[in-house]
Amino acid sequence: MKTNRSKLVEPVKPSEAPDAAIAMINEEGTVVGWTQAAQQLVGYSAREVVGRPAARVLPFSQDAAKARALAERCRAQGGWSGTMTVRHRDGHTLTLTLRVSLLWGENGSHRWLVCVTDIGGLSSGSLNGSLRESLLTHAPIGIVVRDLQLRCMWVNDAMELHDGVPRAQRIGCRLRDSLSGFEAEALEVVMQRVLESGTSTVHEFRAWPPADRRHEHVFSASFFCFQDAAGEPLGVCSMSVDVTGNRRARERQAILGEASTRIGSTLDVMQTGQELADLTVPLLADHALVDLVESVPLVLEPSARIGTANGRPPALRRAGLASVKLGMLELPWAREELIHIHPASPFADVLRTGRSRLVPVLDMDAHLSPWVHQDPTRAQKLRDSGVHSLMIVPVHARRCVLGLAIFGRSEEPAPFQEDDLLLAEELVTRAALCLDNALQYARERTAALTLQRDLLPHRVRGGAAVEVASRYVPADMEHGVGGDWFDVIELSGARVALVVGDVVGHGINAAATMGRLRTAVRTLADLDLPPDELLAHLDDTVRRLNDENEVDDESHAQAPAMVGATCLYAVYDSVTRRCVMGRAGHPPPAIIDPQGCVTFPDLPAGAPLGLGLGVLAFESVELELPEGSVLAFYTDGLVESRDDDIDIGLQRLSAALTQSGRSLEDLCSQVVETLPASAHSDDVTLLLVRTRALQSAQVASWDLPNVPTVVRTARHLAARQLSAWQLEHLLPTVELIVSELVTNAIRYGSGPVRLRLIRHQVLTCEVSDNSTSRPRPRHPSTLDERGRGLFLIARLSRRWGYRSASNGKVVWAEQDVPSVAVAR
């Protein structure tokens, strides 16, 4: 048999080797060959059977008429198969499915080969699956019996269909005489081992039979040792069947199995295209190109739908290419290059119809003529490559056209067949599913990231209290955008609120929840609540969100995921240099003193938000900070990873923060650059603040008695201080604000009154009293003599408000200060 692509493959495992019982009978009905499997089946050894009539184990052969009728039928039909009763050595009978094959020898002599195709007592797993199926379906089986020198002594007619060697040229010859090359030598080694061991084995090899020279076939050959009357090796029998279909099915299954692990390993659409190309070369094709509609890499919904595209096809972007020839990698376009398809080309037709195109024998002038004339230089390069067979498969999902996959053969002589196209379509379908998932995820991630960036502060300012720098690093494509947030909220009296939080989960829901919580924190901060009370209110907010997300028992609607979050809230006062902070399940901040020493304060951890435990679940701690201290607020993505414990992350953060003397922006960059690669599985948020302290000359305060006449004194003190600060132009307004605030404090309070003026970016006027009642603006009628104080303050001030104090409340109002005055 002449082959140009035959390959002997490894034998199957011993447990998988066929163990069919085989006997060879001559023209007179005498057993002339016996196998160990035959002995195992019927109990007779070769010594007891060989040289004796087959009637010893075949009862029907005792009837001469039946025996002659069977012999004539076998000669006429070239064999026989059917059910037969066989006698066991211990006397019981076995009903078996037998196959009798006619073998020819020299000078037209013949013998019969009897094999069991249904070995009742033996495990069906002992017979090779492909051989068993072929035997049961009467598939042509090539049979050759060779002597101890491996010369062909007997052969059936079906063998010529396998290798094209006529019977006359085979009898008396060794395998190497009719089949040259490595295959013959390797198969003879196998047969020699079978003779020496007396066992059986199976090998597979590839060949090009004469009946189908264009297609490669795979044959499974089973080898058995015949024994003579003394139990010695008499010869070896080979039985081969065409298992091309089974082989291709196994290869297809193997490729599909690889596809499940090699395609779609990332959410990058361009990388997915390259993975498809890499998988198919050389398993399916010699060259592969994957082109995506230009909008796909841009994470835009493809506008073209199957069967609706008109006019010029969409531009494509090369996402993947692979080739068995390195020089082919740039043909006809390089990766990521933009490609414009001719409207009359088969590529455009596949894009338009969504149906694959198989070109078994490629004629470029006939099949690619529009493109050939449009780009003759590249067309000539494609001719020189030797591509002779082509498949064009559309990449589509949800009836949207995503692109094309093109497969070509140049080194492999066999053209593509229908089953190759089916396999290619299956692989492309899997890749399209991965691409569609990546697109949907990327769109959701983009929306979540856009929402989150819109909800996060675009520019943080700390006013007179702190200097601020921040970083936000979203999670990678695989894990998605999370719900991290931070905020810096300027409060009255040269104070500032510092917030960092983390919503559990990823995606647009987490980003939306983050926005709701950030808004809630800002609203609560405007009430000037201490950290423990603010966290308690925020805990109630999260709990209410979870109540809204519960499943509706009546509609059985799918509820959103339960909300969980952590938060750290701190208030820093630049007048007293004191910072009050509390946390709800959030990592503690790092504090870097002016000398560069890093500490993590021992703050009560508090419960995560959403448990509804009330104010007792949170505690506030007050710290005094030297001017120039740096506070680092962060989310767990900065210090936790899949590979490292949180303690290692905290040590890494401490080492990065000890870079004293650097600006906050540089320090932020330094910390983020130390992140390990695995840290990108979660969002990373970092907020750095450097504390400032107001000078004593910027603050003036007075304790006043609770008597009506003190209002005039308060106006005089305020006027004198404004004159010292060179803010005389604010005097009329400030005098009126001071009068109203002090009057209200005396009217509704019972203890001493404290007046404080603070000059920073704004001028703040504060009046403290021991009353806990909340000041409320009124809407007096035209005849009312009172109730217009707070209304006037609201009209005259930049903003006003009140906050609780340890022994009462503080009512304040702010005035804008010219920048020249602030500079002084």
PDB file of all heavy atoms in Angstrom, residues 694-709:
ATOM      1  N   LEU A 694      -4.804  75.750  62.174  1.00  0.00           N
ATOM      2  CA  LEU A 694      -4.952  77.201  62.120  1.00  0.00           C
ATOM      3  C   LEU A 694      -4.107  77.846  63.220  1.00  0.00           C
ATOM      4  O   LEU A 694      -3.992  77.329  64.346  1.00  0.00           O
ATOM      5  CB  LEU A 694      -6.413  77.594  62.303  1.00  0.00           C
ATOM      6  CG  LEU A 694      -7.385  77.200  61.178  1.00  0.00           C
ATOM      7  CD1 LEU A 694      -8.750  77.813  61.442  1.00  0.00           C
ATOM      8  CD2 LEU A 694      -6.868  77.616  59.817  1.00  0.00           C
ATOM      9  N   GLN A 695      -3.527  78.974  62.881  1.00  0.00           N
ATOM     10  CA  GLN A 695      -2.755  79.705  63.873  1.00  0.00           C
ATOM     11  C   GLN A 695      -3.699  80.353  64.881  1.00  0.00           C
ATOM     12  O   GLN A 695      -4.876  80.635  64.596  1.00  0.00           O
ATOM     13  CB  GLN A 695      -1.908  80.774  63.182  1.00  0.00           C
ATOM     14  CG  GLN A 695      -0.964  80.228  62.115  1.00  0.00           C
ATOM     15  CD  GLN A 695      -0.010  79.192  62.661  1.00  0.00           C
ATOM     16  OE1 GLN A 695       0.571  79.406  63.752  1.00  0.00           O
ATOM     17  NE2 GLN A 695       0.158  78.082  61.961  1.00  0.00           N
ATOM     18  N   SER A 696      -3.161  80.622  66.076  1.00  0.00           N
ATOM     19  CA  SER A 696      -3.992  81.216  67.136  1.00  0.00           C
ATOM     20  C   SER A 696      -4.526  82.577  66.731  1.00  0.00           C
ATOM     21  O   SER A 696      -5.614  82.993  67.164  1.00  0.00           O
ATOM     22  CB  SER A 696      -3.186  81.328  68.426  1.00  0.00           C
ATOM     23  OG  SER A 696      -2.013  82.128  68.211  1.00  0.00           O
ATOM     24  N   ALA A 697      -3.785  83.273  65.844  1.00  0.00           N
ATOM     25  CA  ALA A 697      -4.232  84.600  65.407  1.00  0.00           C
ATOM     26  C   ALA A 697      -5.432  84.514  64.484  1.00  0.00           C
ATOM     27  O   ALA A 697      -6.082  85.536  64.211  1.00  0.00           O
ATOM     28  CB  ALA A 697      -3.093  85.325  64.703  1.00  0.00           C
ATOM     29  N   GLN A 698      -5.747  83.308  63.994  1.00  0.00           N
ATOM     30  CA  GLN A 698      -6.886  83.147  63.100  1.00  0.00           C
ATOM     31  C   GLN A 698      -8.172  82.810  63.830  1.00  0.00           C
ATOM     32  O   GLN A 698      -9.225  82.664  63.203  1.00  0.00           O
ATOM     33  CB  GLN A 698      -6.590  82.042  62.067  1.00  0.00           C
ATOM     34  CG  GLN A 698      -5.464  82.375  61.118  1.00  0.00           C
ATOM     35  CD  GLN A 698      -5.210  81.228  60.157  1.00  0.00           C
ATOM     36  OE1 GLN A 698      -4.374  80.367  60.423  1.00  0.00           O
ATOM     37  NE2 GLN A 698      -5.930  81.219  59.053  1.00  0.00           N
ATOM     38  N   VAL A 699      -8.098  82.686  65.158  1.00  0.00           N
ATOM     39  CA  VAL A 699      -9.259  82.300  65.953  1.00  0.00           C
ATOM     40  C   VAL A 699      -9.401  83.280  67.127  1.00  0.00           C
ATOM     41  O   VAL A 699      -8.420  83.593  67.810  1.00  0.00           O
ATOM     42  CB  VAL A 699      -9.124  80.858  66.483  1.00  0.00           C
ATOM     43  CG1 VAL A 699     -10.362  80.473  67.281  1.00  0.00           C
ATOM     44  CG2 VAL A 699      -8.885  79.881  65.344  1.00  0.00           C
ATOM     45  N   ALA A 700     -10.604  83.754  67.335  1.00  0.00           N
ATOM     46  CA  ALA A 700     -10.898  84.621  68.482  1.00  0.00           C
ATOM     47  C   ALA A 700     -12.188  84.139  69.123  1.00  0.00           C
ATOM     48  O   ALA A 700     -13.170  83.867  68.432  1.00  0.00           O
ATOM     49  CB  ALA A 700     -11.039  86.071  68.030  1.00  0.00           C
ATOM     50  N   SER A 701     -12.188  83.994  70.452  1.00  0.00           N
ATOM     51  CA  SER A 701     -13.379  83.504  71.147  1.00  0.00           C
ATOM     52  C   SER A 701     -13.559  84.252  72.461  1.00  0.00           C
ATOM     53  O   SER A 701     -12.585  84.705  73.080  1.00  0.00           O
ATOM     54  CB  SER A 701     -13.269  82.001  71.410  1.00  0.00           C
ATOM     55  OG  SER A 701     -12.180  81.728  72.265  1.00  0.00           O
ATOM     56  N   TRP A 702     -14.827  84.364  72.885  1.00  0.00           N
ATOM     57  CA  TRP A 702     -15.180  85.065  74.117  1.00  0.00           C
ATOM     58  C   TRP A 702     -16.316  84.324  74.813  1.00  0.00           C
ATOM     59  O   TRP A 702     -17.271  83.873  74.172  1.00  0.00           O
ATOM     60  CB  TRP A 702     -15.636  86.494  73.814  1.00  0.00           C
ATOM     61  CG  TRP A 702     -14.623  87.288  73.026  1.00  0.00           C
ATOM     62  CD1 TRP A 702     -13.600  88.030  73.522  1.00  0.00           C
ATOM     63  CD2 TRP A 702     -14.581  87.426  71.609  1.00  0.00           C
ATOM     64  NE1 TRP A 702     -12.890  88.633  72.509  1.00  0.00           N
ATOM     65  CE2 TRP A 702     -13.480  88.265  71.306  1.00  0.00           C
ATOM     66  CE3 TRP A 702     -15.336  86.907  70.556  1.00  0.00           C
ATOM     67  CZ2 TRP A 702     -13.128  88.623  70.011  1.00  0.00           C
ATOM     68  CZ3 TRP A 702     -14.987  87.271  69.280  1.00  0.00           C
ATOM     69  CH2 TRP A 702     -13.901  88.111  68.993  1.00  0.00           C
ATOM     70  N   ASP A 703     -16.215  84.209  76.121  1.00  0.00           N
ATOM     71  CA  ASP A 703     -17.296  83.671  76.935  1.00  0.00           C
ATOM     72  C   ASP A 703     -18.114  84.847  77.469  1.00  0.00           C
ATOM     73  O   ASP A 703     -17.576  85.762  78.119  1.00  0.00           O
ATOM     74  CB  ASP A 703     -16.754  82.853  78.101  1.00  0.00           C
ATOM     75  CG  ASP A 703     -16.111  81.561  77.629  1.00  0.00           C
ATOM     76  OD1 ASP A 703     -16.612  80.980  76.647  1.00  0.00           O
ATOM     77  OD2 ASP A 703     -15.086  81.140  78.206  1.00  0.00           O
ATOM     78  N   LEU A 704     -19.417  84.828  77.223  1.00  0.00           N
ATOM     79  CA  LEU A 704     -20.291  85.953  77.561  1.00  0.00           C
ATOM     80  C   LEU A 704     -21.374  85.496  78.540  1.00  0.00           C
ATOM     81  O   LEU A 704     -21.869  84.371  78.458  1.00  0.00           O
ATOM     82  CB  LEU A 704     -20.953  86.503  76.287  1.00  0.00           C
ATOM     83  CG  LEU A 704     -19.991  86.900  75.153  1.00  0.00           C
ATOM     84  CD1 LEU A 704     -20.781  87.273  73.910  1.00  0.00           C
ATOM     85  CD2 LEU A 704     -19.102  88.046  75.599  1.00  0.00           C
ATOM     86  N   PRO A 705     -21.746  86.377  79.460  1.00  0.00           N
ATOM     87  CA  PRO A 705     -22.832  86.022  80.390  1.00  0.00           C
ATOM     88  C   PRO A 705     -24.189  86.014  79.671  1.00  0.00           C
ATOM     89  O   PRO A 705     -24.357  86.635  78.627  1.00  0.00           O
ATOM     90  CB  PRO A 705     -22.776  87.131  81.446  1.00  0.00           C
ATOM     91  CG  PRO A 705     -22.177  88.293  80.717  1.00  0.00           C
ATOM     92  CD  PRO A 705     -21.197  87.725  79.745  1.00  0.00           C
ATOM     93  N   ASN A 706     -25.121  85.301  80.261  1.00  0.00           N
ATOM     94  CA  ASN A 706     -26.453  85.169  79.666  1.00  0.00           C
ATOM     95  C   ASN A 706     -27.341  86.311  80.154  1.00  0.00           C
ATOM     96  O   ASN A 706     -28.261  86.124  80.962  1.00  0.00           O
ATOM     97  CB  ASN A 706     -27.055  83.819  80.049  1.00  0.00           C
ATOM     98  CG  ASN A 706     -28.277  83.492  79.208  1.00  0.00           C
ATOM     99  OD1 ASN A 706     -29.008  84.380  78.772  1.00  0.00           O
ATOM    100  ND2 ASN A 706     -28.504  82.212  79.001  1.00  0.00           N
ATOM    101  N   VAL A 707     -27.070  87.540  79.652  1.00  0.00           N
ATOM    102  CA  VAL A 707     -27.869  88.717  79.989  1.00  0.00           C
ATOM    103  C   VAL A 707     -28.147  89.461  78.696  1.00  0.00           C
ATOM    104  O   VAL A 707     -27.320  89.445  77.758  1.00  0.00           O
ATOM    105  CB  VAL A 707     -27.145  89.629  80.999  1.00  0.00           C
ATOM    106  CG1 VAL A 707     -26.992  88.925  82.336  1.00  0.00           C
ATOM    107  CG2 VAL A 707     -25.782  90.059  80.473  1.00  0.00           C
ATOM    108  N   PRO A 708     -29.287  90.137  78.585  1.00  0.00           N
ATOM    109  CA  PRO A 708     -29.634  90.821  77.333  1.00  0.00           C
ATOM    110  C   PRO A 708     -28.632  91.879  76.924  1.00  0.00           C
ATOM    111  O   PRO A 708     -28.406  92.110  75.736  1.00  0.00           O
ATOM    112  CB  PRO A 708     -31.009  91.429  77.622  1.00  0.00           C
ATOM    113  CG  PRO A 708     -31.584  90.562  78.696  1.00  0.00           C
ATOM    114  CD  PRO A 708     -30.424  90.161  79.563  1.00  0.00           C
ATOM    115  N   THR A 709     -27.993  92.530  77.871  1.00  0.00           N
ATOM    116  CA  THR A 709     -27.086  93.621  77.519  1.00  0.00           C
ATOM    117  C   THR A 709     -25.806  93.124  76.857  1.00  0.00           C
ATOM    118  O   THR A 709     -25.037  93.923  76.323  1.00  0.00           O
ATOM    119  CB  THR A 709     -26.721  94.416  78.785  1.00  0.00           C
ATOM    120  OG1 THR A 709     -26.138  93.531  79.741  1.00  0.00           O
ATOM    121  CG2 THR A 709     -27.962  95.089  79.369  1.00  0.00           C
TER     122      THR A 709
END
